[in-house]
Amino acid sequence: MALNVNELMGPMLEAVTGVFGKRWPKMRDYAEGETRKLAESLAQIAQLRVSQEISEDEARVLLEMQKNTARAVLLAVEGMGLLLAEQAINAALAAVRGTVNGALRFPLL
Amino acid sequence: LAVWIAALLLIAGCRSIQLVSDYDEATDRGAAELQRKMSDFFSRLQTFPRGAEELRFDRSREFYRQAAVDLNALRVRAGGIRMNLLTLEQLELLEENLAQVVLTHKGCIEGLSALTPEQAEARQQAIRQQGVDLTMDCRVSHGAVADLPDRGDQVISPGFVANAWRQFDQGLGAVMAFELAKRRGENARQR
């Protein structure tokens, strides 16, 4: 039996949308919260320098460290994005598993 | 979209795909434990007045050594887990930050602002390649601005400590947040 792409598309899209609807808000909340922390840290470095509690050299080191911290946070966000993509793909495949395997008469998925 | 669906079905050929490593409890616990140790260390430093004997580098060197060992152990473990490059990179960045704190504590960064962009980049490379320099000296080969001996009596400034503490909290928090996300991903895979 031939597979109809249009028939597969509906359940797959629905599954992908479901995963994004459930997971995306959590990821967005994490990214927003961490961005705020980075901004607060940057403001603290500036304030410490203005009040002469740290030297210009120390401010530069803290800024270099801040860049690394921001990268570490973005790597977490990137990883969460990959997990989101993985879950969406797997949900899409699961949504049409029965249809595809039935049509092929062997368990491809 | 039709092409995407067809490609997906063709490449899948299995029940599910995996793009990120499984949750690793040892990494999660190790990062949490290191974060606790860092908080304990930085909060203790903040109780001393500027210039106090307790703020000398030689008083803190053993803590830095232990923290470097902990980070290295986490990094080696992360490197042995497949599809774990993002966590590995996170830990390398944290190791660089620890190296920066140690250099600053030893007073090895004086004159940093006067470096050319090329010299500053070379310094960053040295830190990346050599890691945390636990000797009592400042060494250009390890990211210091100048070669200087016997820096054990150098003290760290409370202002620097305040921000460095915040950065380790956030960096180690990012490692833990990603591990927790992996655990949720693993649970979803098993459903």
Side-chain angles (χ1 to χ4, degrees):
Chain A
M1 189 179 83
L3 283 167
N4 183 331
V5 169
N6 289 328
E7 282 177 24
L8 294 178
M9 222 166 75
M12 288 180 87
L13 266 179
E14 195 177 325
V16 168
T17 310
V19 169
F20 271 80
K22 195 174 163 191
R23 303 284 180 199
W24 170 248
K26 283 182 187 167
M27 195 176 140
R28 188 191 53 207
D29 288 350
Y30 173 76
E32 280 179 6
E34 295 305 302
T35 304
R36 172 173 288 278
K37 284 186 200 169
L38 288 167
E40 287 169 355
S41 176
L42 198 57
Q44 186 187 38
I45 294 169
Q47 184 268 323
L48 287 167
R49 179 62 197 129
V50 168
S51 59
Q52 300 198 332
E53 290 176 72
I54 57 173
S55 67
E56 188 180 334
D57 294 330
E58 286 173 325
R60 282 185 190 276
V61 168
L62 287 172
L63 189 62
E64 285 173 6
M65 288 174 63
Q66 169 98 54
K67 287 178 190 169
N68 283 350
T69 304
R71 280 190 208 123
V73 167
L74 286 174
L75 285 166
V77 173
E78 182 184 342
M80 289 173 192
L82 279 174
L83 283 163
L84 188 64
E86 176 191 302
Q87 286 167 31
I89 291 167
N90 287 334
L93 291 173
V96 295
R97 182 169 293 139
T99 309
V100 172
N101 290 348
L104 297 177
R105 292 182 188 158
F106 73 92
L108 174 69
L109 301 179
Chain B
L1 189 61
V3 173
W4 181 76
I5 291 172
L8 203 58
L9 294 178
L10 281 172
I11 61 168
C14 58
R15 291 190 67 83
S16 66
I17 63 155
Q18 184 172 354
L19 302 175
V20 174
S21 69
D22 287 336
Y23 166 72
D24 182 51
E25 189 179 353
T27 300
D28 191 9
R29 283 190 179 187
E33 178 63 16
L34 184 56
Q35 188 271 330
R36 194 195 61 74
K37 285 182 191 170
M38 287 286 197
S39 287
D40 180 60
F41 172 69
F42 286 129
S43 65
R44 199 156 28 83
L45 287 184
Q46 285 207 313
T47 63
F48 303 114
R50 179 178 276 272
E53 282 281 299
E54 289 84 354
L55 297 174
R56 285 167 56 115
F57 174 71
D58 52 12
R59 297 283 187 97
S60 297
R61 186 162 73 152
E62 179 51 26
F63 171 80
Y64 290 132
R65 191 192 65 76
Q66 193 55 54
V69 167
D70 288 353
L71 263 178
N72 187 55
L74 282 172
R75 194 169 51 78
V76 169
R77 182 178 175 86
I81 298 172
R82 74 184 188 102
M83 289 187 289
N84 205 27
L85 281 178
L86 296 177
T87 297
L88 180 62
E89 207 176 321
Q90 284 181 313
L91 293 166
E92 285 170 353
L93 291 165
L94 289 171
E95 211 167 13
E96 277 179 41
N97 278 0
L98 181 63
Q100 293 272 27
V101 171
V102 169
L103 286 168
T104 305
H105 201 158
K106 289 196 284 186
C108 300
I109 56 142
E110 280 165 36
L112 181 66
S113 307
L115 294 183
T116 65
E118 292 75 22
Q119 288 170 324
E121 180 53 32
R123 193 185 87 84
Q124 295 273 11
Q125 285 291 340
I127 291 171
R128 253 170 243 140
Q129 285 166 8
Q130 303 296 332
V132 184
D133 183 6
L134 294 164
T135 66
M136 290 292 189
D137 307 326
C138 292
R139 297 188 289 178
V140 172
S141 61
H142 287 67
V145 173
D147 286 319
L148 296 166
D150 306 325
R151 309 296 286 173
D153 60 350
Q154 295 294 302
V155 291
I156 197 162
S157 73
F160 184 88
V161 167
N163 191 263
W165 179 7
R166 183 192 281 257
Q167 301 220 26
F168 276 101
D169 269 358
Q170 193 171 12
L172 286 163
V175 173
M176 290 185 270
F178 187 25
E179 283 307 315
L180 289 176
K182 287 179 195 171
R183 184 157 70 183
R184 287 194 295 271
E186 198 175 296
N187 290 341
R189 253 175 248 136
Q190 286 164 358
R191 278 200 292 270

